[in-house]
Amino acid sequence: MRDQDRLPTSPGFWRSPLRGPWFTSVLGLVLLVGVTALFVTGLVSYAAYNPNLSPVNDTTPDKGLLGFYLFAWPTDPVWLYRLTQGVHVTLGLTLIPVLLAKLWSVVPRLFALPPARSVTHALERISLLLLVGGGLFEFTTGVLNIQLDYVFPGSFYPLHFYGAWVFFAAFVAHAVLKTPTALRTVRRRLRDELEEGVMPAADTLVPPRPDRPTVSRRGAFGLVGGGSLLLFLTTVGQSLGGPFRRTALLAPHGTADPNGGPNGFQINKTAAYAGITAADTHEDAWRLVVTGRTGTVRLSRAQLLQLPLHSSSLPIACVEGWSTADQWWRGVRLRDLAALVGHDGDPPDVLVESLQRHGAFRRAALRANQVADPRTLLALYVNGEELSPDHGHPARVIVPAAPGVLNTKWVGRLTFGAL
């Protein structure tokens, strides 16, 4: 017996007295709510990219029926993407201790023999592999993306999108099978029927010969909850911005605003990273090419400054969950530029192209409702000062409620028309 207990396939191998249906059920119910919210906000984030608008926006080709729900992303309220993506990222990080505790609580079942007692049991085990593997994959790639550490092969967007559907399909199947049992277990505990924590011996999560407890189950929940709270407090500030940013100690954009001054707010890509040089943006060399129904016009920065200028107070919110405070932008409305090339009245979609030489989102498409919004600008100034090179000098797009990557920097060309 002792030799058998040295193998993880033996019930005697797992000795922790914390394991049991009640402990697992509570964690599972927390994940049921949390993972569902993560999935919904993740789908919302994908919709915000307007992938059906143009192939340049579609970072997940061949999505087929998985894009059934897509809709035109609105421009109101201006903080919409900051809210939805902030919830997605912050909640995902907060749930990490809960996920790890849940996996730890059920690990004996992953080694249970025989591997399949029936066809139904075999299908359940397969769904568990997809559930555990998919969950670890989604959380790992999400954390790496937040930290701007792209060590995984391929693009984050299709990997995370398709992985989410696989994971959530397994999650739904598991929830349908296990949620009724979990609810019954928690109710029994609340009625004090299991006051001493004694579980039926037949349950595979209960060790037959448990070790002496070093912490109570309530203490274990406190540890998990404390870990989640710590992650929440040290990351949520990057989404809130302002004075809260200094509290986001574990976020790459959690420090104070860099450098100070009117251009002293966070960025992802520097001009050097994008391959932008002073020669590219010099006033003698740079021209904005605008194409539409009546042809093409080329505008220098001086000519742009002769057009009516407007101001908008808008934040920048990125897929990594961070956002800036509202910045005061000033420039030419995109709908006014559309009118220069024959699109009076209701402007059409627009394809925005950057001078950026490498990296993702060198080109982005905006919907007609985004172009028509009077707050959507080709910005030339921010907070009363010319854009710095890292913030997109000589001109960048700023759009209400759009993901940060659609606020294209170093704009070189605008093409208006159906996309």
Side-chain angles (χ1 to χ4, degrees):
M1 182 65 71
R2 289 180 179 176
D3 291 338
Q4 292 178 347
D5 287 351
R6 294 175 181 174
L7 300 175
T9 53
S10 170
F13 179 86
W14 309 100
R15 304 289 299 278
S16 173
L18 294 178
R19 287 193 178 93
W22 181 69
F23 187 73
T24 297
S25 296
V26 173
L27 295 172
L29 291 174
V30 172
L31 288 174
L32 177 64
V33 176
V35 169
T36 301
L38 279 181
F39 184 68
V40 172
T41 52
L43 294 184
V44 166
S45 177
Y46 180 55
Y49 282 75
N50 286 323
N52 276 356
L53 178 60
S54 172
V56 300
N57 283 18
D58 195 350
T59 55
T60 54
D62 302 322
K63 60 185 177 297
L65 293 177
L66 298 182
F68 70 93
Y69 71 95
L70 293 173
F71 54 94
W73 188 248
T75 56
D76 279 304
V78 297
W79 42 260
L80 179 61
Y81 191 72
R82 175 163 61 183
L83 173 65
T84 59
Q85 193 61 11
V87 169
H88 182 75
V89 169
T90 304
L91 179 60
L93 292 171
T94 302
L95 286 177
I96 288 176
V98 183
L99 175 68
L100 295 178
K102 176 66 161 59
L103 293 177
W104 173 85
S105 74
V106 298
V107 70
R109 285 183 176 164
L110 300 179
F111 293 92
L113 294 177
R117 296 189 297 269
S118 64
V119 174
T120 302
H121 185 243
L123 293 175
E124 181 182 345
R125 295 297 293 272
I126 292 172
S127 72
L128 282 178
L129 289 176
L130 295 175
L131 180 68
V132 174
L136 292 175
F137 177 82
E138 285 299 287
F139 276 81
T140 300
T141 55
V143 170
L144 289 173
N145 181 66
I146 293 166
Q147 298 297 328
L148 309 177
D149 191 2
Y150 306 106
V151 296
F152 41 83
S155 170
F156 165 77
Y157 301 94
L159 289 174
H160 205 65
F161 178 79
Y162 293 125
W165 280 103
V166 172
F167 168 57
F168 196 71
F171 179 79
V172 169
H174 186 73
V176 169
L177 291 171
K178 299 299 184 182
T179 297
T181 301
L183 290 172
R184 286 194 299 270
T185 301
V186 172
R187 287 196 201 102
R188 285 199 301 268
R189 179 73 182 197
L190 293 176
R191 292 198 305 262
D192 295 330
E193 291 183 17
L194 300 173
E195 183 65 32
E196 302 300 323
V198 178
M199 295 294 174
D203 195 286
T204 56
L205 293 179
V206 179
R209 293 183 301 281
D211 285 333
R212 182 183 298 274
T214 57
V215 64
S216 67
R217 286 197 177 102
R218 287 186 177 87
F221 281 130
L223 181 64
V224 174
S228 292
L229 180 62
L230 179 64
L231 286 174
F232 174 81
L233 293 176
T234 54
T235 56
V236 69
Q238 70 167 348
S239 299
L240 299 176
F244 299 100
R245 187 177 302 282
R246 292 179 182 272
T247 66
L249 303 177
L250 299 181
H253 291 87
T255 58
D257 289 344
N259 302 325
N263 278 272
F265 53 96
Q266 278 70 19
I267 59 171
N268 261 1
K269 296 176 182 177
T270 64
Y273 170 84
I276 305 297
T277 66
D280 298 319
T281 59
H282 192 274
E283 59 181 317
D284 292 334
W286 181 82
R287 294 293 183 272
L288 175 69
V289 180
V290 185
T291 300
R293 180 185 294 144
T294 58
T296 297
V297 297
R298 295 168 60 86
L299 301 169
S300 66
R301 182 180 170 88
Q303 290 171 315
L304 284 170
L305 292 173
Q306 297 301 312
L307 298 175
L309 299 183
H310 300 270
S311 298
S312 298
S313 180
L314 299 172
I316 296 176
C318 282
V319 70
E320 297 89 5
W322 65 271
S323 63
T324 71
D326 288 1
Q327 310 297 324
W328 194 253
W329 307 91
R330 187 163 179 79
V332 182
R333 290 174 175 171
L334 283 196
R335 68 184 192 183
D336 292 342
L337 291 171
L340 290 179
V341 288
H343 297 287
D344 295 310
D346 293 333
D349 306 331
V350 64
L351 176 65
V352 185
E353 298 180 73
S354 172
L355 301 177
Q356 181 178 337
R357 287 183 169 81
H358 56 80
F361 295 99
R362 297 185 297 275
R363 305 162 75 225
L366 300 176
R367 286 192 182 275
N369 68 304
Q370 294 172 314
V371 176
D373 193 296
R375 296 163 296 182
T376 300
L377 303 177
L378 181 74
L380 306 172
Y381 298 93
V382 62
N383 300 323
E385 186 176 275
E386 283 192 11
L387 295 168
S388 69
D390 287 343
H391 279 297
H393 179 81
R396 69 170 298 164
V397 166
I398 186 74
V399 185
V405 292
L406 299 186
N407 294 303
T408 308
K409 297 192 286 188
W410 313 293
V411 174
R413 180 182 291 270
L414 298 171
T415 303
F416 292 94
L419 300 178

